[in-house]
C-alpha cells in the first residue's frame, strides 16, 4: 500500500532540462525524509539529493550542485527534482526513496527504506 511513483524522465540534449516527480500513494509524506538516487549502466547506485520532512534541510551530491534543485509539496504529497544544464554523465535511472523522521534520526541522509520503481533519464546529442 505504501508506494512511490516516479515520472518525468525522458530524453534530452546536453544543456537541457527535465523535472522529475515522485508521488506518494497510500501514505502521507509529511513525516518522511526524501532522497533522489540514480544508477547508470555498469555503475553503483549513488545519492543525488535529499530533503528533510519539513523541507528545511537539503543536500546535494557534488556532481549536481548548482544544477539540480530538490523541493517538496506536502499538500500534493509529491517531491520534485528540477534538473538543469544536463550532461551526458547524468544519464541514469533515477529513483526516489523515503525514510521516517524521528527525534533520534538524522534528517536528509542518503538512505531509503521505501523505494520507487525508477524513471529513465537519457542525455545525449
Amino acid at each position: 500500500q505504501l508506494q512511490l511513483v516516479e515520472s518525468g524522465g525522458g530524453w534530452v540534449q546536453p544543456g537541457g532540462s527535465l523535472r522529475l516527480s515522485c508521488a506518494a500513494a497510500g501514505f502521507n509524506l509529511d513525516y518522511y525524509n526524501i532522497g533522489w538516487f540514480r544508477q547508470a549502466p555498469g555503475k553503483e547506485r549513488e545519492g543525488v539529493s535529499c530533503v528533510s520532512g519539513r523541507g528545511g534541510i537539503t543536500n546535494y551530491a557534488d556532481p549536481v550542485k548548482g544544477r539540480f534543485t530538490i523541493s517538496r509539496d506536502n499538500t500534493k504529497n509529491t517531491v520534485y527534482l528540477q534538473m538543469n544544464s544536463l550532461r551526458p554523465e547524468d544519464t541514469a535511472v533515477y529513483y526516489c526513496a523515503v525514510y521516517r523522521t524521528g527525534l533520534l534520526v538524522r534528517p536528509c541522509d542518503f538512505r531509503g527504506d521505501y523505494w520507487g520503481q525508477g524513471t529513465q533519464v537519457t542525455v545525449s546529442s
Side-chain angles (χ1 to χ4, degrees), residues 57-109:
I57 302 173
T58 58
N59 196 12
Y60 297 90
D62 287 341
V64 308
K65 288 181 179 178
R67 300 188 297 120
F68 292 8
T69 303
I70 192 170
S71 62
R72 64 188 298 163
D73 187 339
N74 287 349
T75 300
K76 297 182 178 180
N77 221 28
T78 301
V79 64
Y80 305 95
L81 185 67
Q82 180 66 47
M83 308 164 64
N84 298 326
S85 302
L86 284 163
R87 306 166 180 170
E89 52 264 39
D90 295 319
T91 296
V93 177
Y94 284 71
Y95 302 88
C96 65
V98 304
Y99 66 98
R100 290 291 301 271
T101 60
L103 186 62
L104 302 178
V105 178
R106 179 175 294 181
C108 197
D109 204 359

Side-chain angles (χ1 to χ4, degrees), residues 37-66:
F37 302 79
R38 67 187 182 186
Q39 186 167 22
K43 295 185 177 181
E44 299 292 331
R45 184 190 65 201
E46 63 177 351
V48 176
S49 183
C50 61
V51 59
S52 61
R54 297 181 181 179
I57 302 173
T58 58
N59 196 12
Y60 297 90
D62 287 341
V64 308
K65 288 181 179 178

